[in-house]
Amino acid sequence: MKGIALGQYYPSGSVLHRLDPRMKVIIAVLYIVTTFLAKNVTAFALLLVSMLLLIAVSRIPLRIVLSGIKPVLMIMLFTMVINLFFVGGERLLFEWKFIRIYVEGLYQAAFMAIRIVVLIVGTSMLLTYTTTPIMLTDALERLLAPLRVLHVPVHEFAMMMTIALRFIPTLMEETEKIMAAQKARGADFTSGSLVSRAKALIPILIPLFVSAFRRADDLATAMECRCYHGGKGRTRMTVLHFHLGDFVALTVFVALGAGLILANRYGFGFSM
Amino acid sequence: MSKITLENVSYVYGEGTPFEMHALRDVSFSIRENAVTGLIGHTGSGKSTLVQLFNGLTRPMAGRVLLDGADIWEKPKQIKQIRFRVGLVMQYPEYQLFEETVRADIAFGPKNMGLPADEIEARVREAAELVGLDEALLDHSPFDLSGGEKRRVAIAGIIAMRPEVLVLDEPAAGLDPRGRDRILTQVREYQRRSGATVVIVSHSMEDMARFCDDIVVLARGELVMQGKTDEVFAHADRLAQVGLNIPEISRVCAMLRARGIPMDEGIFTVDAAARCLERLLGATDGEGASTR
Ligand SMILES: Nc1ncnc2c1ncn2[C@@H]1O[C@H](COP(=O)(O)OP(=O)(O)O)[C@@H](O)[C@H]1O
Ligand SMILES: [Mg+2]
């Protein structure tokens, strides 16, 4: 378990990894909006191309990207089927008993599928695969900082997130160790009735809770010893700066959005 | 007679991910029956990974693990039986305690073996006595004990299964010198009484020299050396290459030899050095020096 970062962070050292996480959040939001702008074949083609480029730039193996799509495959198929069979139109493509498939339905289904894939892949290329969860939390804290005026405890939420993220791998590692230790004493987690399996969890959960509380206590003490008193007046060790690359990236995505709007207007092909 | 044999064993963590880690590479050696074998190596050299192969907690990616000459993975469904035969005390075992009383915690293993209640009780008492736990402690909560006591409870929990092979992963880590000596002496004593095969993992050369018959040296997931304790320690240069030092006292003896004092070769413990010095001093002025 060690060394496995939480989520899907994949350190390939690409340009995307080096972008300022704040900019990546902004761009991701922009990209999501853009996805919903697309209306005709040209626009969707543009969207698809942008996604492929994004994958190429991220230098993340296709195998990993595909495995990221797997969880939404069912939803995708479902929306496609719904669109295929239930979208009416003028140009009948195929008819068999009560099933009628129209050209419009076919396009609609394809559009929906592309949209879902682009949404998932786009946000994961920009965020989850190329940004560590800690960096992401940091970025969100800063982007949401203005909310402090409304007395939203932004820093405290971010700190809670950071600590939780920091300790999830630790707890997972700990769980594994405790499981191994109990297995070494003949514990069995995989066979028997439901009740006996639930009972088998006790030797794992109790030591896990004991150690989680101990850790929490230690951490609180350690933080207090270092005079932690919340976010007020706190400076940072790593100060984020926007670089030229960040603005270039922003420009590219704004251009993509503009291109899509133009494609909607002047492009060709079926339009929804 | 070898009790456990490893044949070309390799183990990789996170295979196929960017975090791939070759923890063991083509390791082959065997562990002698009825002896105490010390497994030495730096932190991260793969010692813990290795001992988890002994009782089938993990399965090697390549190679075989033999117990009494039979592959332990021959019948994967029976792997639990192997775990009762090869008792593994994991690193920092005090974090695995969970029962309400010390007695119940030590009884967890024997209970999983399906032994009758009176047999379990007898074994719990025997194991507690072996590791030097006071009988009065048996009804306490394990969470109220001191760190050293907790560790002894955890070790007793494995000893109570009466394994043919007792493997201890860094049993002395984080204990004060007296606690370390106590646990290691008790393990040695357990070996003598039960005739079991014992494997102790450590990175302390001093401890190993004093308590082990055989030594296996591991570095970066590869086997460096294996043999009788004095044979292995005789290769001080080879050990130094992998970042391990021979015991302090051996170096002191070497320095004394360099100054013309005829200390014996192959001294690895303070006691042996004291005996040698006593003999030398006795020979010169006929007056026994006091040891230590
Ligand atoms: N669960 C794990 N996941 C990934 N890597 C691990 C895991 N456990 C150990 N390792 C790595 O394998 C190597 C050997 O570890 P280990 O067997 O614990 O060494 P030792 O016990 O000698 O200190 C180390 O580099 C360690 O980081
Ligand atoms: Mg270890």
Side-chain angles (χ1 to χ4, degrees):
Chain A
M1 201 52 55
K2 210 180 291 172
I4 295 183
L6 187 66
Q8 298 158 307
Y9 184 68
Y10 190 99
S12 71
S14 76
V15 184
L16 288 183
H17 289 77
R18 273 172 276 145
L19 286 183
D20 189 305
R22 288 172 298 177
M23 192 55 91
K24 279 195 270 191
V25 172
I26 295 171
I27 290 177
V29 173
L30 208 62
Y31 198 55
I32 291 171
V33 174
T34 310
T35 331
F36 284 99
L37 286 181
K39 287 215 162 25
N40 61 15
V41 174
T42 319
F44 274 99
L46 200 60
L47 211 53
L48 212 52
V49 169
S50 75
M51 181 194 81
L52 294 177
L53 283 176
L54 204 55
I55 295 176
V57 169
S58 74
R59 302 221 305 240
I60 289 168
L62 210 56
R63 172 176 56 86
I64 307 264
V65 179
L66 288 179
S67 73
I69 302 177
K70 229 187 258 162
V72 292
L73 214 57
M74 277 318 291
I75 300 177
M76 222 170 84
L77 284 177
F78 185 70
T79 18
M80 279 179 81
V81 168
I82 295 274
N83 276 291
L84 208 53
F85 291 126
F86 297 104
V87 171
E90 281 130 33
R91 287 175 285 166
L92 194 64
L93 192 68
F94 174 84
E95 187 171 11
W96 181 71
K97 289 191 181 160
F98 58 91
I99 295 175
R100 290 208 178 100
I101 292 175
Y102 295 91
V103 176
E104 287 83 353
L106 199 64
Y107 274 118
Q108 198 80 297
F111 284 177
M112 286 316 265
I114 293 175
R115 186 168 282 163
I116 293 174
V117 171
V118 170
L119 269 179
I120 300 291
V121 174
T123 46
S124 51
M125 284 305 117
L126 282 165
L127 300 175
T128 47
Y129 282 118
T130 61
T131 322
T132 61
I134 297 282
M135 267 158 73
L136 209 56
T137 318
D138 208 15
L140 285 174
E141 177 181 354
R142 285 182 228 196
L143 288 172
L144 297 179
L147 290 183
R148 266 194 305 228
V149 182
L150 304 174
H151 298 286
V152 178
V154 176
H155 168 79
E156 282 68 20
F157 280 135
M159 183 56 93
M160 276 159 57
M161 268 299 273
T162 310
I163 291 175
L165 288 170
R166 158 67 186 77
F167 280 101
I168 286 171
T170 312
L171 285 181
M172 276 162 70
E173 201 182 301
E174 190 115 344
T175 311
E176 237 173 48
K177 274 194 190 141
I178 293 169
M179 271 179 93
Q182 309 302 25
K183 273 198 225 158
R185 296 205 275 169
D188 194 344
F189 310 116
T190 51
S191 62
S193 67
L194 206 61
V195 177
S196 75
R197 267 192 229 192
K199 260 188 170 166
L201 290 180
I202 295 174
I204 301 174
L205 291 180
I206 290 180
L208 197 62
F209 273 106
V210 168
S211 97
F213 283 127
R214 185 175 44 83
R215 269 181 214 287
D217 210 33
D218 288 353
L219 181 69
T221 312
M223 283 170 78
E224 240 166 78
C225 286
R226 287 186 260 172
C227 304
Y228 177 78
H229 54 78
K232 216 170 199 170
R234 198 170 146 81
T235 55
R236 299 188 163 271
M237 189 169 89
T238 49
V239 181
L240 290 177
H241 291 291
F242 288 120
H243 293 284
L244 184 62
D246 295 311
F247 294 107
V248 172
L250 182 64
T251 314
V252 169
F253 278 87
V254 170
L256 176 70
L260 228 66
I261 292 171
L262 288 179
N264 278 340
R265 177 164 277 190
Y266 302 108
F268 53 86
F270 171 83
S271 168
M272 58 194 270
Chain B
M1 195 37 210
S2 72
K3 187 73 184 172
I4 294 184
T5 306
L6 268 69
E7 287 179 357
N8 310 95
V9 165
S10 296
Y11 194 85
V12 184
Y13 284 109
E15 201 169 23
T17 71
F19 307 101
E20 196 170 275
M21 169 82 217
H22 289 261
L24 293 173
R25 287 172 209 267
D26 197 21
V27 173
S28 305
F29 67 88
S30 53
I31 285 167
R32 201 151 54 92
E33 200 165 4
N34 301 333
V36 178
T37 300
L39 191 58
I40 310 190
H42 249 293
T43 308
S45 56
K47 305 182 298 289
S48 298
T49 308
L50 190 63
V51 293
Q52 289 182 32
L53 294 169
F54 289 172
N55 73 340
L57 271 181
T58 50
R59 195 173 180 159
M61 311 286 170
R64 300 197 304 160
V65 181
L66 310 177
L67 178 62
D68 283 336
D71 189 341
I72 64 168
W73 286 102
E74 209 163 300
K75 298 192 195 96
K77 290 225 172 72
Q78 311 268 304
I79 201 68
K80 215 161 116 183
Q81 298 312 315
I82 300 290
R83 294 185 187 144
F84 295 134
R85 290 176 62 196
V86 182
L88 171 63
V89 180
M90 308 249 300
Q91 211 163 347
Y92 297 109
E94 51 273 31
Y95 297 132
Q96 73 189 32
L97 304 177
F98 71 98
E99 278 284 9
E100 279 171 56
T101 64
V102 169
R103 183 191 305 276
D105 211 293
I106 299 177
F108 184 62
K111 228 189 236 165
N112 286 331
M113 296 172 81
L115 297 172
D118 49 343
E119 168 78 16
I120 293 179
E121 176 62 20
R123 285 187 178 207
V124 168
R125 280 170 184 279
E126 182 200 57
E129 193 242 303
L130 254 163
V131 298
L133 277 175
D134 200 59
E135 212 176 312
L137 285 181
L138 286 182
D139 295 313
H140 281 239
S141 158
F143 298 106
D144 292 341
L145 306 183
S146 75
E149 283 168 340
K150 277 187 199 162
R151 181 150 325 163
R152 274 181 272 149
V153 171
I155 295 175
I158 301 292
I159 286 181
M161 304 193 304
R162 292 208 190 130
E164 298 160 37
V165 185
L166 177 65
V167 186
L168 301 113
D169 194 350
E170 311 239 7
L175 296 183
D176 57 276
R178 186 171 299 164
R180 281 161 57 145
D181 267 18
R182 229 173 124 178
I183 279 191
L184 292 171
T185 312
Q186 277 154 358
V187 168
R188 190 74 250 202
E189 172 67 18
Y190 167 77
Q191 196 282 323
R192 209 181 49 74
R193 266 209 237 172
S194 66
T197 305
V198 172
V199 180
I200 304 179
V201 173
S202 172
H203 52 246
S204 159
M205 303 300 271
E206 265 83 10
D207 290 349
M208 293 291 97
R210 280 166 53 209
F211 294 99
C212 298
D213 305 312
D214 294 357
I215 299 274
V216 174
V217 184
L218 214 61
R220 289 205 216 113
E222 287 175 34
L223 184 79
V224 177
M225 253 193 285
Q226 137 168 61
K228 294 266 164 56
T229 303
D230 43 0
E231 291 165 16
V232 169
F233 281 138
H235 295 95
D237 45 343
R238 186 77 191 88
L239 288 173
Q241 267 173 23
V242 297
L244 294 168
N245 287 321
I246 54 168
E248 206 72 36
I249 192 69
S250 307
R251 279 195 289 166
V252 171
C253 291
M255 278 149 87
L256 287 174
R257 265 199 306 279
R259 293 182 170 214
I261 299 168
M263 295 290 288
D264 292 345
E265 302 249 3
I267 291 178
F268 311 110
T269 64
V270 177
D271 283 340
R275 276 197 301 278
C276 179
L277 270 178
E278 225 168 71
R279 208 188 59 233
L280 290 174
L281 290 174
T284 51
D285 57 25
E287 197 173 285
S290 66
T291 55
R292 284 190 241 191

